[in-house]
Amino acid sequence: MEITVNGKVHTIEAESDTPLLWVVREQLGLTGTKFGCGIAQCGACTMHVNGKPMRTCVLPVGAVAGADITTIEGIGNQGELHPVQQAWVDAQVPQCGYCQSGQIMSAVALLASNDDPSDEDINRAMSGNVCRCGMYGRIRTAIKSAAKNEVAIYDPKAKGAQSSNVEEVTNG
Amino acid sequence: MGKWTRRSFIAAGVVGGTALVIGVGIRPGNRNRKLEQYVTSDGEHLVNAWVKIDAQNQVTAIVPHSEMGQGAQTALTQMLADELDVDWDAVSFIEAPAEDVYANGPVGKGFVLGDTKIPNALVGTVDGLFQTVANSMHLQITGGSASVRATGVYGMRVAGAAAKEMLLEAAAKQWNVPVASLTAKSGMISDGTRREPYATFVAAAGELQPPYTPKLKTADEFTIMGKSKPRLDIPSKVDGTAMFGIDAKIDGMVYATIAAAPVFGATLKSVDDSKAREVKGVLDVVKLDDAVAVVANSYWTAQKAVAELDIEWQNVGQDTVDSKSIFEQFQNDITAAVANGDVKADIDAGDSDAAFASASRIVERQYKVPYLAHACMEPMNALALVDQGNCEVWTGSQNPLGFKHQIAEAIGFEADNVKVNNFFMGGGFGRRSRPDAAIQAAKISMQVGKPVKLIWSREEDTQHDFYRPAVLSKFRAALDDAGNPVAWENHYVDKHEPAEAPLIPYAINNQAIGSVDSPTHIPFGAWRSVDHSQHGFFTESFMDELAIEAGADPYQFRMDRLKAHPRHQKVLSVAAEKANWSGPLGKGQGRGIALQESFGSLVAEVVEVTVTKGEVSVDKVTVVVDAGFAVSPDGVKAQMESGVLYGLTAALHGEVSIENGRVVQGNFDTYPMVRMDTAPQIDTHIINSMESWGGAGEPGTPGIAPALTNAIYAATGTRIRDLPVSQYDLDVDFVESDSV
Ligand code: FES
Ligand code: FES
């Protein structure tokens, strides 16, 4: 079976009911995406599938053949942080950090469709992501500051999105 | 520690009298084999075990605490760098390896002595004593909020200051000038004309005897302490590169997951694994004394197959126990202990009996809290390889050195043949001080002869935790004619640490507080703030009830009884002021206040709630913290936010209940969390009183539950005496009520 992750096509070997999460972690060695619950209750496993945030712990790999899959490793720009990641650093969001890949993927997806999210919008987009360290306030701050910076969001449909579709962001 | 000579012990103790700074082993002529490997290239010298200065003048702090998100490594590095007078960007850190030389004396001290003030003259002796105790217990724990207040204050600062003095002394000798004519700044030593990096003098400094009492900076001299430095671990936590235990990987690794006996104490009787073995990709099924593991080519395969196991457990009589029977047992044990005089006194001050006999009124209340799981975001896991008499483990641990010894003991190896590689922890909160998953992984690897990555399911994690105990706490207060409490009596079950958790700071002359043993088969674990997590709720709820009984304002009522504690008064009054305590409130709104001293820090919290149609919305939490001095103010704020959320989730929803001897809850659907849409705004204010430095990781947690339930009372007239709040029907008419 073939899947496309971060713009690269990979040949994998797995039963088609295997959740995408485990294929990506175990076979592709991309361990930035985490396991938290296995039942779509925590958001730690969030990746983008054709730009949509998905809980990959319950998403069979058989269902995503041909789709564009993006992980936390795929949103930056060749060693440079994605503006949302940078906002996370600026607001000193992560504590243990375990939930943050999923949080960032949910936030990037939110900002891709909404460049000025209200508190309600943030609640709706982010409440599927648990942060056991309770960094919700900082996540909210980081999302708002990333929005204010008119973040250019990568286009997940483009192949090699992680390296070519993030525009430079100037602060202010 | 037997390798240490008396002389080296004293030499280590000499540095600030702490016995903590283990420079000893690495000075010429006294090299320590275990530390030697960290001095890897020519021109590097370990000035002492806490600080390494290389030939490029780069400083490495060797920090003996693991990182679970509390920012300890950054704060400790700040403390070292400031005293050593080097620039922040010239410093990096490594985590101390799990070797006995790093055993963490002050943690033992923090836990055993609590917050007892130790006379300065005795600090050296006490630290020496506890160093010994800690060594024999193989402690290297990140817990008890000990990193800054113990390791930092007694270790890192002293180490930095001592290293600087030695470097200055070495420079003075080399240049043949008086030490007093030299200055040290930004990693350079200058005599006004010459200017050389520290690195120049490192070798010569290594020959010197460490100073007996290096001079620490005063607060006005701090350049790095007290500044919010970006956390060193954060960049790797936004791009997926941070390596947690679950991410560890070695060649030939296979995956496993496990089903442990649901009833604690039960053992494996038999298992029919035929169906599990049929699942494609399953490599083996491994039996342990109290668990069965499936080994497979993927976690998912193992998880699918484990559900196919048909297991029979040998129960040992605990399978009839449930939450109700546990609380009945508590009730009976307290009654019996009181009748038989078996209460273990925490404090017995004044003459409570007489006060109750002559009371004009007696208020009696009881409170309950349930068992709680830690629910770390990262489920328990460990990678282990047992091969040719050696065992290597890769995992995230709050106590890597303890893991090494406990794993060795569990599999019958010498500790020298066990190596623990520590990783970032996706939450610790006390849970990751227990090596159970690592021991399982080692045992499974032993049986299959391959490196095994064991990952627990979330359900397994919730159902095989070491739990914050369920506790029943009973109070009586004797009131005088004016409604003033003149006696405070409190009996509760299950005492752990810290010893002072049930004590109150309030001026009530007659106090009888004590615990009753009432053991259950549910395993105990230290849960963020340990005993404070329940006693904060109990004492600050009862105090609130007494204020209401006296017809007083709950804030003023507390202030009036804190006259002997100006520091407490300050924290409480600033909280009231910042939260606009007496400001107007709408229908269904209320404010509650609570104060708690724990782990050397004072925290006051004010919660504002709105209750509509039975739903509690926590609108705002105001936190005021006096941790003596905030080494990293933003770090302290983050810890307060985190501690509040952790305690709030518990207060609102947290309940692990027991049925047929086992835990009922499993995943986040049955053990719910506060999420983005229900998280309150948290405003934190820091007071630097410059009193002795306290912790930050835990003190934010105890005050939130009582501040919340006190606010709910103010809003609704309903007094919550059993947690969690979610079990109450708050769909009440807002009656003005002064009795419940
Ligand atoms: S691991 Fe997928 S939502 Fe929790
Ligand atoms: S940062 Fe620890 S779970 Fe979110």
Side-chain angles (χ1 to χ4, degrees), chain A residues 141-171:
Chain A
T141 304
I143 291 175
K144 288 186 172 171
S145 81
K148 223 185 272 145
N149 285 345
E150 289 176 20
V151 169
I153 301 298
Y154 77 102
D155 173 4
K157 299 236 168 52
K159 301 277 186 226
Q162 77 281 8
S163 59
S164 60
N165 290 69
V166 181
E167 286 166 30
E168 281 307 311
V169 172
T170 40
N171 285 330

mmCIF file of all heavy atoms in Angstrom, chain A residues 141-171:
data_model
loop_
_atom_site.group_PDB
_atom_site.id
_atom_site.type_symbol
_atom_site.label_atom_id
_atom_site.label_comp_id
_atom_site.label_asym_id
_atom_site.label_seq_id
_atom_site.Cartn_x
_atom_site.Cartn_y
_atom_site.Cartn_z
ATOM 1 N N THR A 141 -3.778 32.166 23.687
ATOM 2 C CA THR A 141 -2.932 33.336 23.406
ATOM 3 C C THR A 141 -2.115 33.123 22.134
ATOM 4 O O THR A 141 -2.020 34.014 21.286
ATOM 5 C CB THR A 141 -1.958 33.562 24.589
ATOM 6 O OG1 THR A 141 -2.733 33.684 25.786
ATOM 7 C CG2 THR A 141 -1.127 34.806 24.395
ATOM 8 N N ALA A 142 -1.529 31.953 22.011
ATOM 9 C CA ALA A 142 -0.663 31.679 20.863
ATOM 10 C C ALA A 142 -1.467 31.688 19.562
ATOM 11 O O ALA A 142 -1.013 32.227 18.546
ATOM 12 C CB ALA A 142 0.050 30.343 21.035
ATOM 13 N N ILE A 143 -2.664 31.130 19.596
ATOM 14 C CA ILE A 143 -3.495 31.111 18.385
ATOM 15 C C ILE A 143 -3.835 32.547 17.979
ATOM 16 O O ILE A 143 -3.734 32.921 16.807
ATOM 17 C CB ILE A 143 -4.787 30.296 18.608
ATOM 18 C CG1 ILE A 143 -4.441 28.809 18.743
ATOM 19 C CG2 ILE A 143 -5.776 30.519 17.455
ATOM 20 C CD1 ILE A 143 -5.628 27.911 19.080
ATOM 21 N N LYS A 144 -4.203 33.354 18.972
ATOM 22 C CA LYS A 144 -4.570 34.735 18.642
ATOM 23 C C LYS A 144 -3.381 35.519 18.117
ATOM 24 O O LYS A 144 -3.529 36.324 17.199
ATOM 25 C CB LYS A 144 -5.177 35.423 19.859
ATOM 26 C CG LYS A 144 -6.571 34.884 20.164
ATOM 27 C CD LYS A 144 -7.242 35.646 21.274
ATOM 28 C CE LYS A 144 -8.683 35.184 21.393
ATOM 29 N NZ LYS A 144 -9.341 35.738 22.588
ATOM 30 N N SER A 145 -2.204 35.295 18.678
ATOM 31 C CA SER A 145 -1.073 36.076 18.198
ATOM 32 C C SER A 145 -0.644 35.587 16.812
ATOM 33 O O SER A 145 -0.240 36.381 15.966
ATOM 34 C CB SER A 145 0.080 36.083 19.202
ATOM 35 O OG SER A 145 0.838 34.910 19.097
ATOM 36 N N ALA A 146 -0.781 34.286 16.577
ATOM 37 C CA ALA A 146 -0.466 33.791 15.228
ATOM 38 C C ALA A 146 -1.451 34.381 14.216
ATOM 39 O O ALA A 146 -1.066 34.756 13.101
ATOM 40 C CB ALA A 146 -0.518 32.272 15.191
ATOM 41 N N ALA A 147 -2.711 34.497 14.620
ATOM 42 C CA ALA A 147 -3.724 35.063 13.721
ATOM 43 C C ALA A 147 -3.419 36.520 13.440
ATOM 44 O O ALA A 147 -3.521 36.991 12.310
ATOM 45 C CB ALA A 147 -5.108 34.918 14.339
ATOM 46 N N LYS A 148 -3.013 37.221 14.469
ATOM 47 C CA LYS A 148 -2.721 38.642 14.326
ATOM 48 C C LYS A 148 -1.563 38.859 13.363
ATOM 49 O O LYS A 148 -1.498 39.839 12.643
ATOM 50 C CB LYS A 148 -2.380 39.237 15.693
ATOM 51 C CG LYS A 148 -3.035 40.594 15.912
ATOM 52 C CD LYS A 148 -2.586 41.207 17.232
ATOM 53 C CE LYS A 148 -3.468 40.763 18.380
ATOM 54 N NZ LYS A 148 -2.731 40.586 19.626
ATOM 55 N N ASN A 149 -0.624 37.927 13.391
ATOM 56 C CA ASN A 149 0.528 38.055 12.510
ATOM 57 C C ASN A 149 0.216 37.685 11.075
ATOM 58 O O ASN A 149 1.118 37.537 10.266
ATOM 59 C CB ASN A 149 1.673 37.176 13.022
ATOM 60 C CG ASN A 149 2.329 37.806 14.238
ATOM 61 O OD1 ASN A 149 2.123 38.985 14.501
ATOM 62 N ND2 ASN A 149 3.089 37.026 14.963
ATOM 63 N N GLU A 150 -1.060 37.509 10.785
ATOM 64 C CA GLU A 150 -1.489 37.148 9.433
ATOM 65 C C GLU A 150 -0.638 36.014 8.877
ATOM 66 O O GLU A 150 0.051 36.121 7.888
ATOM 67 C CB GLU A 150 -1.455 38.365 8.514
ATOM 68 C CG GLU A 150 -2.573 39.319 8.877
ATOM 69 C CD GLU A 150 -2.519 40.594 8.054
ATOM 70 O OE1 GLU A 150 -1.884 40.581 6.988
ATOM 71 O OE2 GLU A 150 -3.119 41.581 8.482
ATOM 72 N N VAL A 151 -0.702 34.943 9.611
ATOM 73 C CA VAL A 151 0.071 33.768 9.265
ATOM 74 C C VAL A 151 -0.289 33.272 7.885
ATOM 75 O O VAL A 151 -1.456 33.117 7.554
ATOM 76 C CB VAL A 151 -0.248 32.666 10.285
ATOM 77 C CG1 VAL A 151 0.333 31.346 9.818
ATOM 78 C CG2 VAL A 151 0.275 33.055 11.640
ATOM 79 N N ALA A 152 0.713 33.024 7.088
ATOM 80 C CA ALA A 152 0.458 32.362 5.817
ATOM 81 C C ALA A 152 0.434 30.871 6.088
ATOM 82 O O ALA A 152 1.358 30.328 6.666
ATOM 83 C CB ALA A 152 1.566 32.705 4.845
ATOM 84 N N ILE A 153 -0.635 30.255 5.723
ATOM 85 C CA ILE A 153 -0.793 28.847 6.012
ATOM 86 C C ILE A 153 -0.364 28.036 4.800
ATOM 87 O O ILE A 153 -0.694 28.376 3.669
ATOM 88 C CB ILE A 153 -2.261 28.548 6.370
ATOM 89 C CG1 ILE A 153 -2.683 29.378 7.570
ATOM 90 C CG2 ILE A 153 -2.472 27.065 6.618
ATOM 91 C CD1 ILE A 153 -1.935 29.109 8.845
ATOM 92 N N TYR A 154 0.345 26.978 5.046
ATOM 93 C CA TYR A 154 0.776 26.130 3.942
ATOM 94 C C TYR A 154 -0.439 25.503 3.268
ATOM 95 O O TYR A 154 -1.495 25.367 3.869
ATOM 96 C CB TYR A 154 1.712 25.045 4.452
ATOM 97 C CG TYR A 154 0.973 23.933 5.147
ATOM 98 C CD1 TYR A 154 0.743 22.724 4.498
ATOM 99 C CD2 TYR A 154 0.445 24.111 6.415
ATOM 100 C CE1 TYR A 154 0.031 21.723 5.115
ATOM 101 C CE2 TYR A 154 -0.269 23.117 7.031
ATOM 102 C CZ TYR A 154 -0.484 21.932 6.378
ATOM 103 O OH TYR A 154 -1.203 20.948 6.972
ATOM 104 N N ASP A 155 -0.266 25.110 2.052
ATOM 105 C CA ASP A 155 -1.359 24.472 1.322
ATOM 106 C C ASP A 155 -1.125 22.969 1.351
ATOM 107 O O ASP A 155 -0.220 22.459 0.704
ATOM 108 C CB ASP A 155 -1.356 24.990 -0.122
ATOM 109 C CG ASP A 155 -2.362 24.239 -0.978
ATOM 110 O OD1 ASP A 155 -3.088 23.382 -0.423
ATOM 111 O OD2 ASP A 155 -2.413 24.515 -2.191
ATOM 112 N N PRO A 156 -1.944 22.282 2.104
ATOM 113 C CA PRO A 156 -1.676 20.863 2.301
ATOM 114 C C PRO A 156 -1.860 20.046 1.030
ATOM 115 O O PRO A 156 -1.367 18.937 0.939
ATOM 116 C CB PRO A 156 -2.706 20.451 3.360
ATOM 117 C CG PRO A 156 -3.794 21.454 3.245
ATOM 118 C CD PRO A 156 -3.155 22.721 2.810
ATOM 119 N N LYS A 157 -2.526 20.595 0.048
ATOM 120 C CA LYS A 157 -2.796 19.830 -1.172
ATOM 121 C C LYS A 157 -1.566 19.770 -2.065
ATOM 122 O O LYS A 157 -1.401 18.873 -2.872
ATOM 123 C CB LYS A 157 -3.961 20.454 -1.943
ATOM 124 C CG LYS A 157 -5.227 20.449 -1.109
ATOM 125 C CD LYS A 157 -6.369 19.752 -1.816
ATOM 126 C CE LYS A 157 -7.522 19.504 -0.886
ATOM 127 N NZ LYS A 157 -7.971 20.715 -0.156
ATOM 128 N N ALA A 158 -0.713 20.790 -1.903
ATOM 129 C CA ALA A 158 0.464 20.826 -2.758
ATOM 130 C C ALA A 158 1.477 19.796 -2.290
ATOM 131 O O ALA A 158 1.724 19.653 -1.105
ATOM 132 C CB ALA A 158 1.088 22.218 -2.715
ATOM 133 N N LYS A 159 2.043 19.084 -3.214
ATOM 134 C CA LYS A 159 3.102 18.143 -2.855
ATOM 135 C C LYS A 159 4.283 18.948 -2.329
ATOM 136 O O LYS A 159 4.585 20.023 -2.819
ATOM 137 C CB LYS A 159 3.538 17.346 -4.086
ATOM 138 C CG LYS A 159 2.414 16.558 -4.724
ATOM 139 C CD LYS A 159 2.213 15.232 -4.006
ATOM 140 C CE LYS A 159 1.184 14.396 -4.744
ATOM 141 N NZ LYS A 159 0.193 13.804 -3.850
ATOM 142 N N GLY A 160 4.929 18.386 -1.351
ATOM 143 C CA GLY A 160 6.094 19.084 -0.807
ATOM 144 C C GLY A 160 5.717 20.363 -0.109
ATOM 145 O O GLY A 160 6.487 21.307 -0.055
ATOM 146 N N ALA A 161 4.483 20.349 0.407
ATOM 147 C CA ALA A 161 3.975 21.567 1.029
ATOM 148 C C ALA A 161 4.906 22.087 2.113
ATOM 149 O O ALA A 161 5.066 23.282 2.279
ATOM 150 C CB ALA A 161 2.596 21.301 1.616
ATOM 151 N N GLN A 162 5.526 21.163 2.791
ATOM 152 C CA GLN A 162 6.316 21.586 3.944
ATOM 153 C C GLN A 162 7.525 22.412 3.532
ATOM 154 O O GLN A 162 8.099 23.104 4.330
ATOM 155 C CB GLN A 162 6.753 20.374 4.764
ATOM 156 C CG GLN A 162 7.914 19.584 4.193
ATOM 157 C CD GLN A 162 7.494 18.673 3.069
ATOM 158 O OE1 GLN A 162 6.363 18.706 2.598
ATOM 159 N NE2 GLN A 162 8.411 17.861 2.600
ATOM 160 N N SER A 163 7.878 22.340 2.282
ATOM 161 C CA SER A 163 9.088 23.067 1.950
ATOM 162 C C SER A 163 8.837 24.243 1.011
ATOM 163 O O SER A 163 9.703 25.030 0.772
ATOM 164 C CB SER A 163 10.103 22.124 1.304
ATOM 165 O OG SER A 163 9.523 21.568 0.142
ATOM 166 N N SER A 164 7.632 24.362 0.501
ATOM 167 C CA SER A 164 7.496 25.393 -0.519
ATOM 168 C C SER A 164 6.343 26.366 -0.301
ATOM 169 O O SER A 164 6.260 27.359 -0.988
ATOM 170 C CB SER A 164 7.305 24.721 -1.884
ATOM 171 O OG SER A 164 6.132 23.938 -1.834
ATOM 172 N N ASN A 165 5.466 26.084 0.619
ATOM 173 C CA ASN A 165 4.266 26.909 0.645
ATOM 174 C C ASN A 165 4.103 27.794 1.868
ATOM 175 O O ASN A 165 3.058 28.350 2.098
ATOM 176 C CB ASN A 165 3.021 26.036 0.500
ATOM 177 C CG ASN A 165 2.943 25.471 -0.892
ATOM 178 O OD1 ASN A 165 3.777 24.632 -1.238
ATOM 179 N ND2 ASN A 165 2.015 25.952 -1.692
ATOM 180 N N VAL A 166 5.127 27.896 2.655
ATOM 181 C CA VAL A 166 5.017 28.798 3.784
ATOM 182 C C VAL A 166 5.694 30.103 3.410
ATOM 183 O O VAL A 166 6.876 30.147 3.082
ATOM 184 C CB VAL A 166 5.704 28.202 5.025
ATOM 185 C CG1 VAL A 166 5.558 29.155 6.197
ATOM 186 C CG2 VAL A 166 5.077 26.870 5.351
ATOM 187 N N GLU A 167 4.918 31.157 3.436
ATOM 188 C CA GLU A 167 5.522 32.447 3.125
ATOM 189 C C GLU A 167 6.220 32.978 4.359
ATOM 190 O O GLU A 167 5.874 32.663 5.477
ATOM 191 C CB GLU A 167 4.431 33.441 2.701
ATOM 192 C CG GLU A 167 3.911 33.144 1.311
ATOM 193 C CD GLU A 167 2.631 33.907 1.044
ATOM 194 O OE1 GLU A 167 2.464 34.994 1.613
ATOM 195 O OE2 GLU A 167 1.801 33.377 0.275
ATOM 196 N N GLU A 168 7.198 33.795 4.136
ATOM 197 C CA GLU A 168 7.875 34.430 5.256
ATOM 198 C C GLU A 168 6.888 35.322 5.996
ATOM 199 O O GLU A 168 6.036 35.972 5.402
ATOM 200 C CB GLU A 168 9.042 35.286 4.751
ATOM 201 C CG GLU A 168 10.268 34.478 4.412
ATOM 202 C CD GLU A 168 10.711 33.584 5.556
ATOM 203 O OE1 GLU A 168 10.813 34.070 6.682
ATOM 204 O OE2 GLU A 168 10.931 32.382 5.310
ATOM 205 N N VAL A 169 7.005 35.324 7.284
ATOM 206 C CA VAL A 169 6.114 36.163 8.067
ATOM 207 C C VAL A 169 6.937 37.266 8.697
ATOM 208 O O VAL A 169 7.986 37.021 9.269
ATOM 209 C CB VAL A 169 5.444 35.331 9.165
ATOM 210 C CG1 VAL A 169 4.668 36.236 10.092
ATOM 211 C CG2 VAL A 169 4.542 34.296 8.551
ATOM 212 N N THR A 170 6.464 38.463 8.566
ATOM 213 C CA THR A 170 7.141 39.536 9.289
ATOM 214 C C THR A 170 6.299 39.879 10.499
ATOM 215 O O THR A 170 5.067 39.891 10.416
ATOM 216 C CB THR A 170 7.307 40.787 8.403
ATOM 217 O OG1 THR A 170 6.107 40.927 7.654
ATOM 218 C CG2 THR A 170 8.462 40.613 7.450
ATOM 219 N N ASN A 171 6.945 40.089 11.550
ATOM 220 C CA ASN A 171 6.205 40.389 12.773
ATOM 221 C C ASN A 171 5.577 41.761 12.710
ATOM 222 O O ASN A 171 6.082 42.650 12.046
ATOM 223 C CB ASN A 171 7.122 40.301 13.988
ATOM 224 C CG ASN A 171 7.406 38.861 14.330
ATOM 225 O OD1 ASN A 171 6.566 37.994 14.085
ATOM 226 N ND2 ASN A 171 8.581 38.598 14.839
#
